[in-house]
Amino acid sequence: MSAVPIQEIVELVGGRYSGPADRFISGVGTLADATAEQLSFLSNPRYAAQLPATRAGAVLVSNELEGDDPRFIRVANPYLSWARVIERWFVPRPALTGVSPLASVSPTAKLGANVAVGPFTTLGDDVVVGDDTIIYSNVAIYPGTIIGSRCIIHSGTVIGADGYGFVVENGRHRKIPQIGIVRIGDDVEIGAGCTIDRASIGETVIGEGTKIDDQVMIGHGAKVGRHCLLVAQVGIAGSTELGDYVVVAGQSGFAGHLKIGDRVQVAAKSAVLNDVPSDTKVMGNPALPFREFARREAMLKRMAKRTMKDER
């Protein structure tokens, strides 16, 4: 990729820039590591202290940032602008195109246009994959799974394995047949090492635009809404339903058969054991609304201080 004139970057992001018009940008980097030929950005105020020392040739910053520097490109959302610049000029050419000869694709599977499938990936009978979807190496897609367009599925993920369903008969655990499928909407990204089980009957559903981090487990019959964010090591038990725009931080877990409303936020390491209404923030084990959790923690601290004082 040749160097990009700074004015083209400014135009792309709709920014304000008063520095040298003849500057060129040949790459991107962090504030700490960028060189004079690279673009950087400041989104998190935690890193503002790095601005004076950065060697970056240009920096995407918020319109509200105080101070001035001829390298600043002021925009409404630096992180979004950063993504747009990288997508336009600095994304490496895709390493994966077409269907690898080392992949195993059932003759009854249906692949859309421009689908890429990596080596040692298996697509079972009657799998459907939409246009422009990328499935990396060592992925197992079980029969009947339906995957939308423009999805990304990273290595080591298993979609459509049997759900965890058993019933006791004569002192033994008898397997309940899992005859449903998994349906994944458009523009979904699934990280490495995830498992999404097929429904016992009906469908396990991942809504359009949802982004799933590495090592996430989604149980049989669960339904994840549109544009949700599930961070690493989240576990969702069977038949639990998440609304739209739900954000779940790392290592949080959900009991089965719950209903979680739209725009719910779950803090890291939380154990969600009950239904949660829309527009609620929960945290803790068991998970509580944020204010209730904060009051409980404050009370426990006061009790601990009194106990320590009495013991002296």
Side-chain angles (χ1 to χ4, degrees):
M1 174 65 204
S2 58
V4 181
I6 190 72
Q7 291 299 336
E8 291 189 22
I9 293 176
V10 174
E11 290 174 11
L12 176 72
V13 300
R16 292 185 290 115
Y17 171 75
S18 58
D22 59 352
R23 179 168 289 160
F24 285 80
I25 298 297
S26 59
V28 293
T30 66
L31 287 171
D33 300 328
T35 67
E37 294 77 35
Q38 292 182 316
L39 173 74
S40 191
F41 78 105
L42 174 68
S43 177
N44 190 330
R46 177 180 301 180
Y47 299 101
Q50 297 181 9
L51 271 177
T54 187
R55 295 180 298 151
V59 184
L60 294 162
V61 300
S62 168
N63 287 325
E64 290 74 34
L65 180 72
E66 295 183 357
D68 195 19
D69 188 306
R71 298 174 297 173
F72 286 175
I73 302 174
R74 293 188 177 274
V75 293
N77 187 330
Y79 201 28
L80 176 60
S81 297
W82 170 258
R84 293 180 64 192
V85 170
I86 293 177
E87 288 173 350
R88 175 64 178 83
W89 286 292
F90 301 115
V91 173
R93 293 182 62 184
L96 182 61
T97 57
V99 178
S100 169
L102 298 177
S104 175
V105 179
S106 167
T108 62
K110 297 179 181 178
L111 276 58
N114 302 315
V115 168
V117 181
F120 309 112
T121 282
T122 300
L123 274 61
D125 294 343
D126 302 314
V127 166
V128 177
V129 181
D131 298 344
D132 302 305
T133 285
I134 299 173
I135 304 174
Y136 284 97
S137 60
N138 296 291
V139 172
I141 312 293
Y142 277 62
T145 298
I146 299 173
I147 300 170
S149 298
R150 300 175 302 280
C151 293
I152 302 172
I153 302 173
H154 290 279
S155 297
T157 283
V158 178
I159 300 175
D162 282 357
Y164 194 66
F166 302 89
V167 63
V168 176
E169 180 185 32
N170 298 325
R172 295 179 179 273
H173 296 292
R174 180 187 180 96
K175 183 179 178 66
I176 297 175
Q178 307 289 299
I179 60 173
I181 65 167
V182 175
R183 181 183 296 273
I184 296 172
D186 296 339
D187 302 300
V188 169
E189 182 162 358
I190 302 172
C194 294
T195 54
I196 303 174
D197 287 351
R198 67 173 54 242
S200 175
I201 188 168
E203 299 180 347
T204 300
V205 177
I206 310 298
E208 68 175 56
T210 284
K211 312 299 182 185
I212 300 175
D213 200 359
D214 299 343
Q215 298 180 346
V216 170
M217 194 280 167
I218 298 174
H220 61 174
K223 290 178 171 53
V224 178
R226 300 175 301 120
H227 306 292
C228 295
L229 300 176
L230 308 182
V231 184
Q233 298 181 2
V234 163
I236 302 175
S239 300
T240 282
E241 299 182 14
L242 275 60
D244 298 335
Y245 294 95
V246 173
V247 178
V248 186
Q251 295 187 332
S252 293
F254 294 78
H257 304 275
L258 301 181
K259 289 190 179 296
I260 310 301
D262 297 336
R263 298 172 299 279
V264 166
Q265 297 181 33
V266 180
K269 292 182 178 291
S270 294
V272 183
L273 306 180
N274 298 291
D275 295 348
V276 180
S278 296
D279 300 300
T280 303
K281 297 179 181 180
V282 299
M283 63 190 307
N285 185 356
L288 299 171
F290 177 76
R291 289 185 179 179
E292 185 177 345
F293 176 87
R295 287 196 298 268
R296 185 185 69 177
E297 290 299 299
M299 181 183 67
L300 290 173
K301 287 181 179 179
R302 289 194 297 270
M303 292 174 60
K305 286 181 179 180
R306 284 198 293 267
T307 301
M308 292 175 62
K309 184 177 180 180
D310 293 343
E311 291 176 349
R312 289 174 182 169

